[in-house]
Amino acid sequence: MSTVNVTDDLTPDLADRVLDLAEQAQEADGVAALSEQPLLRVRHGAPGGSARFHVLTDGGEVVGAGVVERAAGEPDSAE
């Protein structure tokens, strides 16, 4: 069963699993799955309220992920 976890903070284990998925995606098609800013957010976290992480798991395996950047007065952006 697939589950979407939406959080402002990734645990270190979950961040590593998202990074692994991003690497697998790049190896598969030669294109970086995340640009620099979202990649840094996954690796190092984000100041309170400035990012939200959406992680799709299936049977405990991370099969999809998205990072939503949030800035006051600006539209949200996502990858």
Side-chain angles (χ1 to χ4, degrees), residues 11-36:
T11 64
D13 175 63
L14 194 52
D16 286 343
R17 292 167 53 198
V18 168
L19 293 170
D20 287 344
L21 180 64
E23 285 180 25
Q24 291 172 24
Q26 184 168 356
E27 288 173 5
D29 64 14
V31 178
L34 297 171
S35 63
E36 183 178 11

Side-chain angles (χ1 to χ4, degrees), residues 38-63:
L39 186 61
L40 291 172
R41 297 287 193 220
V42 171
R43 283 187 181 146
H44 304 291
S50 65
R52 181 159 291 153
F53 306 96
H54 299 246
V55 181
L56 177 65
T57 59
D58 188 13
E61 182 180 350
V62 174
V63 295

